[in-house]
Amino acid sequence: MARFHNRKKKVFVKPIVKKQQQQQPNVDHITGNKIPKSFVFSRGKLPGPLRQLQMDLRKLMLPYTALKLKEKKRNNLKDFLNVAGPMGVTHFLILSKTETSPVLRVAKTPQGPTLTFKIHEYSLAVDISQSQLRPRCPQDLFKNPPLIVLSGFAAADEQLRLTTTMFKNIFPDIDINTVKLSSCQRILLLNYNKDTKLIDFRHYSIRLQPVGVSRRIRKFVQNHQVPDLRNLQDVSDFVTKAGYGSESEADEEAATVTLTSDLSRVNRASTKSAVKLQEIGPRMTLQLTKIEGGLCAGEVMFSEYGNGGNKKKPGNEEGNEKEDGENDGQMEDSDEDDEADNEEDMEEGEED
């Protein structure tokens, strides 16, 4: 009796993208400029702390990044580049580990340039949170991109001007005439020290506190809870016991602003509020070591070790990554039959 074998055919399954991700625009409807998007991934094997640093960088780049980007050992740089085009990705942030220190590369797709930074020190977001008495990280903190502040990059050096341009273009532009104050909840600070040639990388959350309002009153208005008046003889004691001013209120006039619109029940328009910055991480100390004209390849435009100029590197991407100390033995090129699977594994929508 003949036996019939039911051979299962391999079917390509289109990745599922949430409706909220499909509605995410590629062009700012106010400024008309293209919204920059990013991929944060690694090359080579990373230890556990650097893996967590990679996730912290992805959260920092929200909402215009792939938070759950899937990587495989056989994926090479070309695979990421093929997926980046249809998804509108404009920048790569690549983490790797050398024998001496971790390395962060920031690249503009599809043709570069690429900036290579040596990570001297870093702290994870969880480490910073554990060191604080009252850590603050609400869920809606990452619904809008952070503001970026560059300090100390006013030097006439070409590499500093290129670094300034790269970091300015990695986040969307804002129009000060139309921007909503409620969307400005985070700030990324990059401070360059010309003496040490190091860049301090800090990530803060922004919050406002009304000036001249006690903490008791502020908490009462925000939480909508009935206060405990059992030990008080009069309601006025509840207002005056903690004093008129807030215990965390800023004394400097420069730390206060006058609001132009309502932000919350306690931060109303035409009132003064104190600006508070609280670090949420990650924190890094970076040193610019190399600038390449292409995408992880091409002419070395700057080198901290004196090998810059017109020197050109081979166009082979795998060879370039070996010079940075990466383990390319684990990064084999995928076959033509696996290209659809690679794109499916890497494609991930931006989180709302």
Side-chain angles (χ1 to χ4, degrees), residues 189-244:
L189 172 63
L190 298 177
N191 179 51
Y192 176 74
N193 190 328
K194 63 179 181 180
D195 297 328
T196 60
K197 296 184 179 180
L198 298 179
I199 301 174
D200 295 324
F201 185 101
R202 301 290 187 269
H203 186 210
Y204 299 93
S205 66
I206 304 175
R207 61 190 179 98
L208 298 177
Q209 290 183 356
V211 176
V213 179
S214 66
R215 185 177 180 181
R216 283 191 170 190
I217 299 299
R218 188 172 67 249
K219 293 296 182 181
F220 170 69
V221 176
Q222 289 177 341
N223 299 333
H224 305 278
Q225 295 179 354
V226 178
D228 186 4
L229 304 177
R230 290 177 297 177
N231 298 327
L232 302 179
Q233 297 180 356
D234 191 80
V235 178
S236 61
D237 295 339
F238 176 78
V239 179
T240 60
K241 186 176 181 179
Y244 184 72

Short mmCIF file of all heavy atoms in Angstrom, two decimals, residues 189-244:
data_model
loop_
_atom_site.label_atom_id
_atom_site.label_comp_id
_atom_site.label_asym_id
_atom_site.label_seq_id
_atom_site.Cartn_x
_atom_site.Cartn_y
_atom_site.Cartn_z
N LEU A 189 21.60 65.51 28.05
CA LEU A 189 22.68 66.49 28.18
C LEU A 189 23.99 65.85 27.76
O LEU A 189 24.37 64.79 28.27
CB LEU A 189 22.78 67.00 29.61
CG LEU A 189 23.98 67.90 29.94
CD1 LEU A 189 23.93 69.18 29.12
CD2 LEU A 189 24.03 68.21 31.43
N LEU A 190 24.70 66.52 26.84
CA LEU A 190 26.04 66.12 26.42
C LEU A 190 26.98 67.28 26.71
O LEU A 190 26.85 68.35 26.11
CB LEU A 190 26.07 65.76 24.93
CG LEU A 190 25.20 64.58 24.50
CD1 LEU A 190 25.27 64.39 22.99
CD2 LEU A 190 25.63 63.31 25.20
N ASN A 191 27.91 67.07 27.62
CA ASN A 191 28.85 68.11 28.02
C ASN A 191 30.26 67.68 27.65
O ASN A 191 30.75 66.63 28.09
CB ASN A 191 28.75 68.36 29.53
CG ASN A 191 29.72 69.43 29.99
OD1 ASN A 191 29.77 70.51 29.43
ND2 ASN A 191 30.51 69.12 31.01
N TYR A 192 30.93 68.52 26.83
CA TYR A 192 32.29 68.21 26.37
C TYR A 192 33.30 68.96 27.21
O TYR A 192 33.21 70.19 27.39
CB TYR A 192 32.45 68.58 24.89
CG TYR A 192 33.86 68.37 24.37
CD1 TYR A 192 34.34 67.09 24.11
CD2 TYR A 192 34.70 69.46 24.14
CE1 TYR A 192 35.62 66.89 23.63
CE2 TYR A 192 35.99 69.27 23.65
CZ TYR A 192 36.44 67.99 23.41
OH TYR A 192 37.72 67.80 22.94
N ASN A 193 34.28 68.24 27.74
CA ASN A 193 35.36 68.83 28.52
C ASN A 193 36.59 68.92 27.62
O ASN A 193 37.18 67.89 27.24
CB ASN A 193 35.66 67.97 29.75
CG ASN A 193 36.60 68.64 30.73
OD1 ASN A 193 37.48 69.41 30.33
ND2 ASN A 193 36.43 68.36 32.01
N LYS A 194 36.99 70.14 27.27
CA LYS A 194 38.10 70.32 26.33
C LYS A 194 39.44 69.92 26.94
O LYS A 194 40.40 69.65 26.19
CB LYS A 194 38.15 71.76 25.85
CG LYS A 194 38.42 72.78 26.95
CD LYS A 194 38.47 74.18 26.37
CE LYS A 194 38.76 75.21 27.47
NZ LYS A 194 38.82 76.59 26.91
N ASP A 195 39.54 69.89 28.26
CA ASP A 195 40.80 69.51 28.90
C ASP A 195 41.01 68.00 28.87
O ASP A 195 42.11 67.52 28.56
CB ASP A 195 40.82 70.02 30.34
CG ASP A 195 40.78 71.54 30.42
OD1 ASP A 195 41.32 72.19 29.49
OD2 ASP A 195 40.20 72.08 31.39
N THR A 196 39.99 67.26 29.20
CA THR A 196 40.10 65.80 29.22
C THR A 196 39.65 65.16 27.91
O THR A 196 39.87 63.95 27.71
CB THR A 196 39.26 65.22 30.37
OG1 THR A 196 37.88 65.59 30.19
CG2 THR A 196 39.75 65.76 31.70
N LYS A 197 38.96 65.94 27.03
CA LYS A 197 38.42 65.44 25.76
C LYS A 197 37.40 64.34 25.99
O LYS A 197 37.25 63.43 25.17
CB LYS A 197 39.54 64.95 24.84
CG LYS A 197 40.50 66.03 24.40
CD LYS A 197 41.52 65.50 23.42
CE LYS A 197 42.48 66.59 22.96
NZ LYS A 197 43.48 66.09 22.00
N LEU A 198 36.68 64.43 27.08
CA LEU A 198 35.64 63.46 27.41
C LEU A 198 34.27 64.11 27.32
O LEU A 198 34.13 65.32 27.54
CB LEU A 198 35.85 62.87 28.80
CG LEU A 198 37.15 62.09 29.04
CD1 LEU A 198 37.22 61.58 30.47
CD2 LEU A 198 37.28 60.93 28.05
N ILE A 199 33.27 63.30 27.01
CA ILE A 199 31.89 63.76 26.88
C ILE A 199 31.06 63.10 27.98
O ILE A 199 31.01 61.87 28.09
CB ILE A 199 31.31 63.41 25.50
CG1 ILE A 199 32.13 64.06 24.39
CG2 ILE A 199 29.85 63.85 25.40
CD1 ILE A 199 31.70 63.65 22.99
N ASP A 200 30.43 63.92 28.80
CA ASP A 200 29.52 63.43 29.84
C ASP A 200 28.13 63.27 29.24
O ASP A 200 27.53 64.23 28.75
CB ASP A 200 29.48 64.39 31.03
CG ASP A 200 30.82 64.46 31.75
OD1 ASP A 200 31.50 63.43 31.82
OD2 ASP A 200 31.19 65.56 32.22
N PHE A 201 27.61 62.07 29.30
CA PHE A 201 26.33 61.70 28.72
C PHE A 201 25.34 61.49 29.87
O PHE A 201 25.50 60.56 30.65
CB PHE A 201 26.51 60.41 27.90
CG PHE A 201 25.30 59.97 27.13
CD1 PHE A 201 25.19 60.21 25.77
CD2 PHE A 201 24.27 59.27 27.76
CE1 PHE A 201 24.09 59.76 25.07
CE2 PHE A 201 23.17 58.84 27.07
CZ PHE A 201 23.07 59.09 25.71
N ARG A 202 24.34 62.38 29.98
CA ARG A 202 23.38 62.32 31.08
C ARG A 202 21.95 62.39 30.53
O ARG A 202 21.68 63.11 29.56
CB ARG A 202 23.59 63.47 32.07
CG ARG A 202 24.98 63.49 32.71
CD ARG A 202 25.19 62.33 33.67
NE ARG A 202 26.45 62.45 34.38
CZ ARG A 202 27.59 61.92 33.95
NH1 ARG A 202 27.61 61.26 32.80
NH2 ARG A 202 28.71 62.05 34.66
N HIS A 203 21.04 61.68 31.21
CA HIS A 203 19.63 61.61 30.81
C HIS A 203 18.76 61.96 32.01
O HIS A 203 18.85 61.30 33.05
CB HIS A 203 19.32 60.20 30.29
CG HIS A 203 17.94 60.06 29.73
ND1 HIS A 203 17.24 58.87 29.76
CD2 HIS A 203 17.13 60.96 29.10
CE1 HIS A 203 16.06 59.05 29.20
NE2 HIS A 203 15.98 60.29 28.80
N TYR A 204 17.93 63.01 31.88
CA TYR A 204 17.13 63.52 32.99
C TYR A 204 15.65 63.53 32.63
O TYR A 204 15.27 63.62 31.46
CB TYR A 204 17.55 64.95 33.38
CG TYR A 204 18.98 65.10 33.83
CD1 TYR A 204 19.99 65.44 32.92
CD2 TYR A 204 19.34 64.93 35.17
CE1 TYR A 204 21.30 65.58 33.33
CE2 TYR A 204 20.65 65.08 35.59
CZ TYR A 204 21.62 65.40 34.67
OH TYR A 204 22.92 65.55 35.07
N SER A 205 14.84 63.48 33.67
CA SER A 205 13.41 63.75 33.53
C SER A 205 13.13 65.17 34.03
O SER A 205 13.80 65.66 34.94
CB SER A 205 12.57 62.74 34.33
OG SER A 205 12.80 62.90 35.72
N ILE A 206 12.14 65.82 33.42
CA ILE A 206 11.79 67.21 33.76
C ILE A 206 10.45 67.21 34.49
O ILE A 206 9.49 66.59 34.04
CB ILE A 206 11.69 68.08 32.49
CG1 ILE A 206 12.98 68.01 31.68
CG2 ILE A 206 11.38 69.52 32.85
CD1 ILE A 206 12.90 68.74 30.34
N ARG A 207 10.42 67.91 35.59
CA ARG A 207 9.14 68.09 36.31
C ARG A 207 9.08 69.51 36.85
O ARG A 207 10.10 70.14 37.11
CB ARG A 207 8.99 67.07 37.44
CG ARG A 207 10.05 67.13 38.52
CD ARG A 207 9.96 65.93 39.44
NE ARG A 207 11.00 65.96 40.48
CZ ARG A 207 10.83 66.40 41.69
NH1 ARG A 207 9.63 66.87 42.06
NH2 ARG A 207 11.81 66.39 42.58
N LEU A 208 7.86 69.97 37.00
CA LEU A 208 7.62 71.34 37.48
C LEU A 208 6.91 71.30 38.82
O LEU A 208 6.00 70.48 39.02
CB LEU A 208 6.79 72.12 36.45
CG LEU A 208 7.41 72.32 35.07
CD1 LEU A 208 6.44 73.05 34.16
CD2 LEU A 208 8.71 73.10 35.17
N GLN A 209 7.31 72.20 39.70
CA GLN A 209 6.66 72.35 40.99
C GLN A 209 6.23 73.80 41.16
O GLN A 209 7.02 74.72 40.91
CB GLN A 209 7.61 71.96 42.13
CG GLN A 209 7.91 70.49 42.20
CD GLN A 209 8.78 70.13 43.38
OE1 GLN A 209 9.22 71.01 44.11
NE2 GLN A 209 9.06 68.85 43.56
N PRO A 210 4.99 74.04 41.57
CA PRO A 210 4.54 75.41 41.75
C PRO A 210 5.29 76.11 42.88
O PRO A 210 5.57 75.51 43.93
CB PRO A 210 3.05 75.25 42.08
CG PRO A 210 2.93 73.87 42.61
CD PRO A 210 3.96 73.05 41.90
N VAL A 211 5.63 77.35 42.66
CA VAL A 211 6.36 78.14 43.66
C VAL A 211 5.37 78.69 44.67
O VAL A 211 4.31 79.21 44.31
CB VAL A 211 7.14 79.27 42.97
CG1 VAL A 211 7.82 80.17 44.01
CG2 VAL A 211 8.17 78.70 42.02
N GLY A 212 5.70 78.61 45.96
CA GLY A 212 4.86 79.16 47.01
C GLY A 212 3.73 78.28 47.44
O GLY A 212 2.79 78.76 48.08
N VAL A 213 3.77 76.98 47.10
CA VAL A 213 2.73 76.04 47.51
C VAL A 213 3.38 74.95 48.33
O VAL A 213 4.37 74.34 47.91
CB VAL A 213 2.01 75.44 46.29
CG1 VAL A 213 0.94 74.44 46.74
CG2 VAL A 213 1.39 76.54 45.45
N SER A 214 2.85 74.68 49.53
CA SER A 214 3.43 73.65 50.39
C SER A 214 3.22 72.27 49.78
O SER A 214 2.33 72.06 48.95
CB SER A 214 2.80 73.71 51.78
OG SER A 214 1.43 73.37 51.70
N ARG A 215 4.05 71.35 50.22
CA ARG A 215 3.96 70.00 49.69
C ARG A 215 2.64 69.35 50.06
O ARG A 215 2.09 68.55 49.28
CB ARG A 215 5.13 69.17 50.23
CG ARG A 215 5.19 67.77 49.62
CD ARG A 215 6.40 67.01 50.12
NE ARG A 215 6.43 65.68 49.54
CZ ARG A 215 7.36 64.77 49.81
NH1 ARG A 215 8.34 65.07 50.67
NH2 ARG A 215 7.34 63.59 49.25
N ARG A 216 2.11 69.66 51.23
CA ARG A 216 0.84 69.07 51.62
C ARG A 216 -0.29 69.48 50.68
O ARG A 216 -1.10 68.65 50.26
CB ARG A 216 0.50 69.50 53.05
CG ARG A 216 1.28 68.76 54.12
CD ARG A 216 0.71 69.04 55.49
NE ARG A 216 1.28 68.17 56.50
CZ ARG A 216 0.83 68.09 57.73
NH1 ARG A 216 -0.22 68.82 58.10
NH2 ARG A 216 1.38 67.28 58.60
N ILE A 217 -0.34 70.75 50.36
CA ILE A 217 -1.38 71.23 49.45
C ILE A 217 -1.19 70.64 48.06
O ILE A 217 -2.15 70.24 47.39
CB ILE A 217 -1.38 72.77 49.39
CG1 ILE A 217 -1.68 73.36 50.79
CG2 ILE A 217 -2.38 73.28 48.39
CD1 ILE A 217 -3.03 72.97 51.33
N ARG A 218 0.06 70.57 47.61
CA ARG A 218 0.33 70.03 46.27
C ARG A 218 -0.09 68.57 46.17
O ARG A 218 -0.72 68.15 45.19
CB ARG A 218 1.81 70.19 45.96
CG ARG A 218 2.15 69.84 44.51
CD ARG A 218 3.59 70.19 44.17
NE ARG A 218 4.54 69.35 44.90
CZ ARG A 218 5.33 69.78 45.85
NH1 ARG A 218 5.27 71.05 46.23
NH2 ARG A 218 6.18 68.97 46.47
N LYS A 219 0.22 67.77 47.18
CA LYS A 219 -0.17 66.37 47.16
C LYS A 219 -1.68 66.21 47.26
O LYS A 219 -2.26 65.31 46.65
CB LYS A 219 0.52 65.64 48.33
CG LYS A 219 2.03 65.53 48.20
CD LYS A 219 2.42 64.69 47.00
CE LYS A 219 3.94 64.54 46.92
NZ LYS A 219 4.35 63.74 45.74
N PHE A 220 -2.31 67.09 48.02
CA PHE A 220 -3.77 67.02 48.16
C PHE A 220 -4.47 67.29 46.83
O PHE A 220 -5.43 66.61 46.47
CB PHE A 220 -4.22 68.03 49.23
CG PHE A 220 -5.71 68.22 49.28
CD1 PHE A 220 -6.54 67.21 49.73
CD2 PHE A 220 -6.28 69.41 48.87
CE1 PHE A 220 -7.91 67.38 49.77
CE2 PHE A 220 -7.65 69.59 48.90
CZ PHE A 220 -8.47 68.57 49.35
N VAL A 221 -3.97 68.27 46.07
CA VAL A 221 -4.58 68.60 44.78
C VAL A 221 -4.30 67.51 43.75
O VAL A 221 -5.16 67.16 42.94
CB VAL A 221 -4.08 69.98 44.30
CG1 VAL A 221 -4.63 70.29 42.91
CG2 VAL A 221 -4.47 71.06 45.28
N GLN A 222 -3.10 66.94 43.77
CA GLN A 222 -2.72 65.95 42.77
C GLN A 222 -3.40 64.61 42.98
O GLN A 222 -3.86 63.97 42.03
CB GLN A 222 -1.20 65.77 42.76
CG GLN A 222 -0.44 66.97 42.20
CD GLN A 222 1.07 66.77 42.29
OE1 GLN A 222 1.55 65.93 43.05
NE2 GLN A 222 1.81 67.54 41.52
N ASN A 223 -3.48 64.16 44.23
CA ASN A 223 -3.95 62.81 44.51
C ASN A 223 -5.45 62.70 44.76
O ASN A 223 -5.98 61.59 44.81
CB ASN A 223 -3.21 62.24 45.72
CG ASN A 223 -1.71 62.17 45.49
OD1 ASN A 223 -1.26 62.06 44.36
ND2 ASN A 223 -0.94 62.24 46.57
N HIS A 224 -6.14 63.84 44.96
CA HIS A 224 -7.58 63.85 45.20
C HIS A 224 -7.95 63.01 46.43
O HIS A 224 -8.99 62.33 46.44
CB HIS A 224 -8.35 63.33 43.98
CG HIS A 224 -8.04 64.05 42.71
ND1 HIS A 224 -8.62 65.25 42.36
CD2 HIS A 224 -7.19 63.75 41.70
CE1 HIS A 224 -8.16 65.64 41.19
NE2 HIS A 224 -7.28 64.76 40.78
N GLN A 225 -7.12 63.01 47.45
CA GLN A 225 -7.39 62.23 48.64
C GLN A 225 -7.77 63.15 49.80
O GLN A 225 -7.25 64.26 49.93
CB GLN A 225 -6.16 61.39 49.03
CG GLN A 225 -5.81 60.32 48.01
CD GLN A 225 -4.59 59.53 48.41
OE1 GLN A 225 -3.94 59.86 49.40
NE2 GLN A 225 -4.28 58.49 47.66
N VAL A 226 -8.67 62.65 50.66
CA VAL A 226 -9.09 63.42 51.83
C VAL A 226 -7.95 63.43 52.84
O VAL A 226 -7.45 62.37 53.23
CB VAL A 226 -10.35 62.82 52.46
CG1 VAL A 226 -10.75 63.61 53.71
CG2 VAL A 226 -11.49 62.78 51.45
N PRO A 227 -7.49 64.59 53.28
CA PRO A 227 -6.37 64.64 54.22
C PRO A 227 -6.76 64.16 55.60
O PRO A 227 -7.94 64.17 55.99
CB PRO A 227 -5.99 66.13 54.23
CG PRO A 227 -7.24 66.84 53.86
CD PRO A 227 -7.97 65.93 52.90
N ASP A 228 -5.76 63.72 56.35
CA ASP A 228 -5.96 63.25 57.72
C ASP A 228 -5.92 64.46 58.66
O ASP A 228 -4.86 65.05 58.90
CB ASP A 228 -4.88 62.24 58.08
CG ASP A 228 -5.13 61.61 59.44
OD1 ASP A 228 -6.19 61.91 60.04
OD2 ASP A 228 -4.28 60.84 59.90
N LEU A 229 -7.09 64.83 59.24
CA LEU A 229 -7.19 66.00 60.11
C LEU A 229 -7.47 65.62 61.56
O LEU A 229 -7.91 66.46 62.35
CB LEU A 229 -8.31 66.93 59.59
CG LEU A 229 -8.21 67.41 58.13
CD1 LEU A 229 -9.42 68.26 57.76
CD2 LEU A 229 -6.91 68.18 57.91
N ARG A 230 -7.20 64.38 61.93
CA ARG A 230 -7.56 63.93 63.27
C ARG A 230 -6.75 64.65 64.36
O ARG A 230 -7.27 64.94 65.43
CB ARG A 230 -7.35 62.42 63.39
CG ARG A 230 -8.35 61.60 62.59
CD ARG A 230 -8.03 60.12 62.69
NE ARG A 230 -6.72 59.83 62.12
CZ ARG A 230 -6.17 58.61 62.13
NH1 ARG A 230 -6.82 57.60 62.70
NH2 ARG A 230 -4.99 58.42 61.58
N ASN A 231 -5.50 64.94 64.08
CA ASN A 231 -4.63 65.55 65.09
C ASN A 231 -4.57 67.08 64.97
O ASN A 231 -3.72 67.71 65.60
CB ASN A 231 -3.21 64.97 64.96
CG ASN A 231 -3.18 63.48 65.22
OD1 ASN A 231 -3.95 62.96 66.02
ND2 ASN A 231 -2.29 62.79 64.52
N LEU A 232 -5.45 67.64 64.17
CA LEU A 232 -5.45 69.10 63.98
C LEU A 232 -6.73 69.68 64.57
O LEU A 232 -7.80 69.06 64.53
CB LEU A 232 -5.36 69.44 62.48
CG LEU A 232 -4.13 68.89 61.74
CD1 LEU A 232 -4.18 69.28 60.27
CD2 LEU A 232 -2.83 69.39 62.36
N GLN A 233 -6.63 70.88 65.08
CA GLN A 233 -7.78 71.54 65.67
C GLN A 233 -8.56 72.36 64.66
O GLN A 233 -9.75 72.62 64.85
CB GLN A 233 -7.33 72.45 66.83
CG GLN A 233 -6.69 71.70 67.99
CD GLN A 233 -6.27 72.63 69.10
OE1 GLN A 233 -6.39 73.85 68.98
NE2 GLN A 233 -5.80 72.05 70.22
N ASP A 234 -7.89 72.77 63.58
CA ASP A 234 -8.55 73.60 62.59
C ASP A 234 -7.98 73.28 61.21
O ASP A 234 -6.83 72.81 61.08
CB ASP A 234 -8.35 75.09 62.90
CG ASP A 234 -9.25 75.96 62.05
OD1 ASP A 234 -10.44 76.09 62.39
OD2 ASP A 234 -8.74 76.49 61.04
N VAL A 235 -8.77 73.54 60.16
CA VAL A 235 -8.30 73.28 58.80
C VAL A 235 -7.10 74.16 58.46
O VAL A 235 -6.21 73.77 57.69
CB VAL A 235 -9.44 73.50 57.79
CG1 VAL A 235 -8.96 73.28 56.36
CG2 VAL A 235 -10.61 72.58 58.10
N SER A 236 -7.04 75.34 59.04
CA SER A 236 -5.93 76.25 58.75
C SER A 236 -4.59 75.67 59.20
O SER A 236 -3.54 75.99 58.64
CB SER A 236 -6.18 77.60 59.39
OG SER A 236 -6.27 77.47 60.81
N ASP A 237 -4.62 74.79 60.23
CA ASP A 237 -3.38 74.16 60.67
C ASP A 237 -2.79 73.26 59.58
O ASP A 237 -1.57 73.11 59.48
CB ASP A 237 -3.63 73.33 61.93
CG ASP A 237 -4.04 74.20 63.10
OD1 ASP A 237 -3.74 75.41 63.05
OD2 ASP A 237 -4.65 73.68 64.05
N PHE A 238 -3.67 72.66 58.79
CA PHE A 238 -3.19 71.80 57.70
C PHE A 238 -2.43 72.61 56.66
O PHE A 238 -1.47 72.13 56.05
CB PHE A 238 -4.38 71.08 57.06
CG PHE A 238 -4.01 70.25 55.86
CD1 PHE A 238 -3.43 69.01 56.02
CD2 PHE A 238 -4.24 70.73 54.58
CE1 PHE A 238 -3.09 68.25 54.92
CE2 PHE A 238 -3.91 69.98 53.48
CZ PHE A 238 -3.34 68.73 53.65
N VAL A 239 -2.85 73.86 56.44
CA VAL A 239 -2.22 74.70 55.43
C VAL A 239 -0.93 75.32 55.95
O VAL A 239 0.07 75.41 55.24
CB VAL A 239 -3.20 75.79 54.95
CG1 VAL A 239 -2.54 76.69 53.91
CG2 VAL A 239 -4.47 75.15 54.40
N THR A 240 -0.94 75.72 57.19
CA THR A 240 0.18 76.51 57.72
C THR A 240 1.22 75.66 58.44
O THR A 240 2.31 76.15 58.72
CB THR A 240 -0.34 77.56 58.71
OG1 THR A 240 -1.03 76.90 59.79
CG2 THR A 240 -1.28 78.51 58.00
N LYS A 241 0.94 74.40 58.74
CA LYS A 241 1.87 73.60 59.52
C LYS A 241 3.18 73.38 58.80
O LYS A 241 4.26 73.47 59.38
CB LYS A 241 1.23 72.26 59.88
CG LYS A 241 2.10 71.42 60.82
CD LYS A 241 1.39 70.15 61.22
CE LYS A 241 2.27 69.34 62.17
NZ LYS A 241 1.60 68.09 62.60
N ALA A 242 3.12 73.08 57.50
CA ALA A 242 4.33 72.79 56.74
C ALA A 242 4.97 74.05 56.19
O ALA A 242 5.96 73.98 55.48
CB ALA A 242 4.02 71.83 55.59
N GLY A 243 4.40 75.23 56.52
CA GLY A 243 4.98 76.46 55.98
C GLY A 243 4.38 76.80 54.64
O GLY A 243 3.71 75.99 53.99
N TYR A 244 4.60 78.03 54.22
CA TYR A 244 4.00 78.49 52.97
C TYR A 244 4.76 77.99 51.76
O TYR A 244 4.21 77.66 50.73
CB TYR A 244 3.94 80.02 52.96
CG TYR A 244 3.26 80.59 51.74
CD1 TYR A 244 1.87 80.47 51.59
CD2 TYR A 244 3.99 81.21 50.74
CE1 TYR A 244 1.25 80.97 50.48
CE2 TYR A 244 3.36 81.72 49.62
CZ TYR A 244 1.99 81.61 49.50
OH TYR A 244 1.38 82.11 48.39
#
